[in-house]
mmCIF file of all heavy atoms in Angstrom:
data_model
loop_
_atom_site.group_PDB
_atom_site.id
_atom_site.type_symbol
_atom_site.label_atom_id
_atom_site.label_comp_id
_atom_site.label_asym_id
_atom_site.label_seq_id
_atom_site.Cartn_x
_atom_site.Cartn_y
_atom_site.Cartn_z
ATOM 1 N N PHE B 105 102.887 93.460 132.340
ATOM 2 C CA PHE B 105 102.404 92.929 133.613
ATOM 3 C C PHE B 105 100.886 93.016 133.711
ATOM 4 O O PHE B 105 100.306 92.784 134.765
ATOM 5 C CB PHE B 105 103.054 93.669 134.781
ATOM 6 C CG PHE B 105 104.496 93.282 134.983
ATOM 7 C CD1 PHE B 105 105.504 93.969 134.338
ATOM 8 C CD2 PHE B 105 104.830 92.205 135.785
ATOM 9 C CE1 PHE B 105 106.835 93.593 134.499
ATOM 10 C CE2 PHE B 105 106.153 91.829 135.959
ATOM 11 C CZ PHE B 105 107.160 92.527 135.309
ATOM 12 N N GLY B 106 100.268 93.409 132.608
ATOM 13 C CA GLY B 106 98.821 93.468 132.593
ATOM 14 C C GLY B 106 98.254 94.656 133.349
ATOM 15 O O GLY B 106 97.078 94.684 133.692
ATOM 16 N N VAL B 107 99.100 95.656 133.616
ATOM 17 C CA VAL B 107 98.611 96.843 134.315
ATOM 18 C C VAL B 107 98.315 97.911 133.273
ATOM 19 O O VAL B 107 99.211 98.392 132.587
ATOM 20 C CB VAL B 107 99.665 97.394 135.302
ATOM 21 C CG1 VAL B 107 99.066 98.512 136.129
ATOM 22 C CG2 VAL B 107 100.190 96.287 136.188
ATOM 23 N N ARG B 108 97.044 98.264 133.155
ATOM 24 C CA ARG B 108 96.693 99.287 132.172
ATOM 25 C C ARG B 108 96.267 100.547 132.894
ATOM 26 O O ARG B 108 96.005 100.538 134.077
ATOM 27 C CB ARG B 108 95.591 98.752 131.253
ATOM 28 C CG ARG B 108 96.029 97.420 130.588
ATOM 29 C CD ARG B 108 94.961 96.858 129.705
ATOM 30 N NE ARG B 108 94.774 97.697 128.522
ATOM 31 C CZ ARG B 108 93.652 97.742 127.838
ATOM 32 N NH1 ARG B 108 92.624 97.032 128.214
ATOM 33 N NH2 ARG B 108 93.551 98.519 126.776
ATOM 34 N N LYS B 109 96.242 101.638 132.169
ATOM 35 C CA LYS B 109 95.904 102.946 132.753
ATOM 36 C C LYS B 109 96.744 103.196 134.001
ATOM 37 O O LYS B 109 96.242 103.430 135.087
ATOM 38 C CB LYS B 109 94.408 103.001 133.108
ATOM 39 C CG LYS B 109 93.507 102.775 131.903
ATOM 40 C CD LYS B 109 92.147 103.441 132.112
ATOM 41 C CE LYS B 109 91.299 103.363 130.876
ATOM 42 N NZ LYS B 109 90.861 101.998 130.553
ATOM 43 N N ASN B 110 98.037 103.124 133.819
ATOM 44 C CA ASN B 110 98.958 103.187 134.950
ATOM 45 C C ASN B 110 99.629 104.549 135.032
ATOM 46 O O ASN B 110 100.634 104.711 135.721
ATOM 47 C CB ASN B 110 100.012 102.080 134.766
ATOM 48 C CG ASN B 110 100.719 101.739 136.053
ATOM 49 O OD1 ASN B 110 100.232 102.043 137.141
ATOM 50 N ND2 ASN B 110 101.883 101.123 135.944
ATOM 51 N N ASP B 111 99.077 105.558 134.342
ATOM 52 C CA ASP B 111 99.807 106.816 134.228
ATOM 53 C C ASP B 111 100.022 107.534 135.548
ATOM 54 O O ASP B 111 101.045 108.186 135.748
ATOM 55 C CB ASP B 111 99.108 107.747 133.224
ATOM 56 C CG ASP B 111 99.455 107.346 131.781
ATOM 57 O OD1 ASP B 111 100.345 106.478 131.624
ATOM 58 O OD2 ASP B 111 98.850 107.889 130.848
ATOM 59 N N ALA B 112 99.074 107.385 136.469
ATOM 60 C CA ALA B 112 99.243 108.076 137.759
ATOM 61 C C ALA B 112 100.476 107.551 138.475
ATOM 62 O O ALA B 112 101.311 108.328 138.964
ATOM 63 C CB ALA B 112 97.994 107.867 138.621
ATOM 64 N N TRP B 113 100.611 106.224 138.510
ATOM 65 C CA TRP B 113 101.773 105.628 139.194
ATOM 66 C C TRP B 113 103.064 105.912 138.413
ATOM 67 O O TRP B 113 104.109 106.181 139.004
ATOM 68 C CB TRP B 113 101.547 104.127 139.385
ATOM 69 C CG TRP B 113 102.700 103.384 139.978
ATOM 70 C CD1 TRP B 113 103.348 102.331 139.430
ATOM 71 C CD2 TRP B 113 103.351 103.607 141.248
ATOM 72 N NE1 TRP B 113 104.356 101.883 140.252
ATOM 73 C CE2 TRP B 113 104.387 102.662 141.378
ATOM 74 C CE3 TRP B 113 103.169 104.554 142.279
ATOM 75 C CZ2 TRP B 113 105.230 102.605 142.488
ATOM 76 C CZ3 TRP B 113 104.009 104.488 143.394
ATOM 77 C CH2 TRP B 113 105.018 103.523 143.486
ATOM 78 N N ILE B 114 102.968 105.882 137.083
ATOM 79 C CA ILE B 114 104.156 106.182 136.276
ATOM 80 C C ILE B 114 104.634 107.614 136.565
ATOM 81 O O ILE B 114 105.822 107.851 136.757
ATOM 82 C CB ILE B 114 103.858 105.986 134.767
ATOM 83 C CG1 ILE B 114 103.756 104.473 134.458
ATOM 84 C CG2 ILE B 114 104.937 106.617 133.904
ATOM 85 C CD1 ILE B 114 103.373 104.142 133.037
ATOM 86 N N ASN B 115 103.689 108.530 136.658
ATOM 87 C CA ASN B 115 104.079 109.909 136.969
ATOM 88 C C ASN B 115 104.720 110.005 138.340
ATOM 89 O O ASN B 115 105.686 110.750 138.544
ATOM 90 C CB ASN B 115 102.861 110.833 136.901
ATOM 91 C CG ASN B 115 102.477 111.109 135.452
ATOM 92 O OD1 ASN B 115 103.328 111.058 134.558
ATOM 93 N ND2 ASN B 115 101.198 111.370 135.219
ATOM 94 N N GLU B 116 104.169 109.243 139.278
ATOM 95 C CA GLU B 116 104.737 109.260 140.627
ATOM 96 C C GLU B 116 106.171 108.718 140.615
ATOM 97 O O GLU B 116 107.062 109.265 141.275
ATOM 98 C CB GLU B 116 103.856 108.431 141.559
ATOM 99 C CG GLU B 116 104.020 108.827 143.013
ATOM 100 C CD GLU B 116 103.067 108.049 143.919
ATOM 101 O OE1 GLU B 116 101.962 107.685 143.453
ATOM 102 O OE2 GLU B 116 103.459 107.809 145.067
ATOM 103 N N LEU B 117 106.354 107.656 139.856
ATOM 104 C CA LEU B 117 107.708 107.091 139.736
ATOM 105 C C LEU B 117 108.663 108.110 139.122
ATOM 106 O O LEU B 117 109.776 108.323 139.624
ATOM 107 C CB LEU B 117 107.683 105.835 138.855
ATOM 108 C CG LEU B 117 107.153 104.547 139.480
ATOM 109 C CD1 LEU B 117 107.008 103.466 138.404
ATOM 110 C CD2 LEU B 117 108.098 104.059 140.579
ATOM 111 N N LEU B 118 108.209 108.738 138.053
ATOM 112 C CA LEU B 118 109.064 109.720 137.386
ATOM 113 C C LEU B 118 109.437 110.837 138.344
ATOM 114 O O LEU B 118 110.583 111.277 138.395
ATOM 115 C CB LEU B 118 108.336 110.307 136.168
ATOM 116 C CG LEU B 118 108.119 109.344 134.994
ATOM 117 C CD1 LEU B 118 107.237 109.975 133.923
ATOM 118 C CD2 LEU B 118 109.452 108.928 134.390
ATOM 119 N N GLU B 119 108.454 111.272 139.140
ATOM 120 C CA GLU B 119 108.707 112.361 140.076
ATOM 121 C C GLU B 119 109.678 111.938 141.168
ATOM 122 O O GLU B 119 110.649 112.624 141.465
ATOM 123 C CB GLU B 119 107.389 112.793 140.710
ATOM 124 C CG GLU B 119 107.170 114.284 140.675
ATOM 125 C CD GLU B 119 105.696 114.575 140.748
ATOM 126 O OE1 GLU B 119 105.166 114.530 141.870
ATOM 127 O OE2 GLU B 119 105.077 114.799 139.680
ATOM 128 N N ASN B 120 109.403 110.775 141.744
ATOM 129 C CA ASN B 120 110.233 110.325 142.850
ATOM 130 C C ASN B 120 111.672 110.030 142.443
ATOM 131 O O ASN B 120 112.581 110.116 143.259
ATOM 132 C CB ASN B 120 109.630 109.078 143.489
ATOM 133 C CG ASN B 120 108.552 109.443 144.484
ATOM 134 O OD1 ASN B 120 108.844 109.984 145.536
ATOM 135 N ND2 ASN B 120 107.313 109.187 144.120
ATOM 136 N N LEU B 121 111.846 109.648 141.194
ATOM 137 C CA LEU B 121 113.207 109.357 140.739
ATOM 138 C C LEU B 121 113.795 110.544 139.982
ATOM 139 O O LEU B 121 114.846 110.421 139.350
ATOM 140 C CB LEU B 121 113.206 108.101 139.852
ATOM 141 C CG LEU B 121 112.884 106.808 140.609
ATOM 142 C CD1 LEU B 121 112.504 105.689 139.648
ATOM 143 C CD2 LEU B 121 114.072 106.379 141.457
ATOM 144 N N ASP B 122 113.092 111.678 140.063
ATOM 145 C CA ASP B 122 113.579 112.898 139.447
ATOM 146 C C ASP B 122 113.801 112.719 137.945
ATOM 147 O O ASP B 122 114.844 113.079 137.410
ATOM 148 C CB ASP B 122 114.885 113.332 140.135
ATOM 149 C CG ASP B 122 114.967 114.853 140.189
ATOM 150 O OD1 ASP B 122 114.038 115.503 139.676
ATOM 151 O OD2 ASP B 122 115.949 115.376 140.740
ATOM 152 N N LEU B 123 112.808 112.129 137.305
ATOM 153 C CA LEU B 123 112.917 111.822 135.874
ATOM 154 C C LEU B 123 111.895 112.580 135.038
ATOM 155 O O LEU B 123 111.873 112.440 133.812
ATOM 156 C CB LEU B 123 112.671 110.315 135.657
ATOM 157 C CG LEU B 123 113.852 109.354 135.688
ATOM 158 C CD1 LEU B 123 113.341 107.919 135.662
ATOM 159 C CD2 LEU B 123 114.798 109.582 134.520
ATOM 160 N N SER B 124 111.048 113.365 135.708
ATOM 161 C CA SER B 124 109.939 113.998 134.991
ATOM 162 C C SER B 124 110.410 114.805 133.790
ATOM 163 O O SER B 124 109.778 114.790 132.734
ATOM 164 C CB SER B 124 109.153 114.906 135.939
ATOM 165 O OG SER B 124 108.689 114.150 137.025
ATOM 166 N N GLN B 125 111.541 115.485 133.957
ATOM 167 C CA GLN B 125 112.064 116.313 132.856
ATOM 168 C C GLN B 125 112.412 115.479 131.630
ATOM 169 O O GLN B 125 112.451 115.980 130.523
ATOM 170 C CB GLN B 125 113.347 117.029 133.310
ATOM 171 C CG GLN B 125 113.196 117.885 134.532
ATOM 172 C CD GLN B 125 112.387 119.127 134.240
ATOM 173 O OE1 GLN B 125 112.605 119.781 133.219
ATOM 174 N NE2 GLN B 125 111.440 119.445 135.109
ATOM 175 N N LYS B 126 112.708 114.191 131.879
ATOM 176 C CA LYS B 126 113.219 113.345 130.795
ATOM 177 C C LYS B 126 112.150 112.410 130.245
ATOM 178 O O LYS B 126 112.462 111.526 129.452
ATOM 179 C CB LYS B 126 114.389 112.500 131.310
ATOM 180 C CG LYS B 126 115.497 113.300 131.943
ATOM 181 C CD LYS B 126 116.376 113.924 130.881
ATOM 182 C CE LYS B 126 117.535 114.675 131.515
ATOM 183 N NZ LYS B 126 118.293 115.439 130.524
ATOM 184 N N ALA B 127 110.897 112.605 130.671
ATOM 185 C CA ALA B 127 109.848 111.634 130.352
ATOM 186 C C ALA B 127 109.730 111.364 128.857
ATOM 187 O O ALA B 127 109.487 110.237 128.442
ATOM 188 C CB ALA B 127 108.516 112.111 130.905
ATOM 189 N N ASP B 128 109.925 112.401 128.039
ATOM 190 C CA ASP B 128 109.716 112.208 126.605
ATOM 191 C C ASP B 128 111.015 112.161 125.819
ATOM 192 O O ASP B 128 111.034 112.364 124.608
ATOM 193 C CB ASP B 128 108.779 113.303 126.076
ATOM 194 C CG ASP B 128 107.420 113.211 126.758
ATOM 195 O OD1 ASP B 128 106.870 112.087 126.823
ATOM 196 O OD2 ASP B 128 106.931 114.234 127.271
#
Side-chain angles (χ1 to χ4, degrees):
Chain B
F105 286 90
V107 187
R108 304 179 69 205
K109 301 206 174 68
N110 199 19
D111 281 351
W113 176 238
I114 287 176
N115 285 333
E116 203 176 329
L117 283 172
L118 291 173
E119 229 156 80
N120 277 290
L121 292 164
D122 215 359
L123 269 171
S124 302
Q125 303 289 315
K126 305 281 183 188
D128 298 312

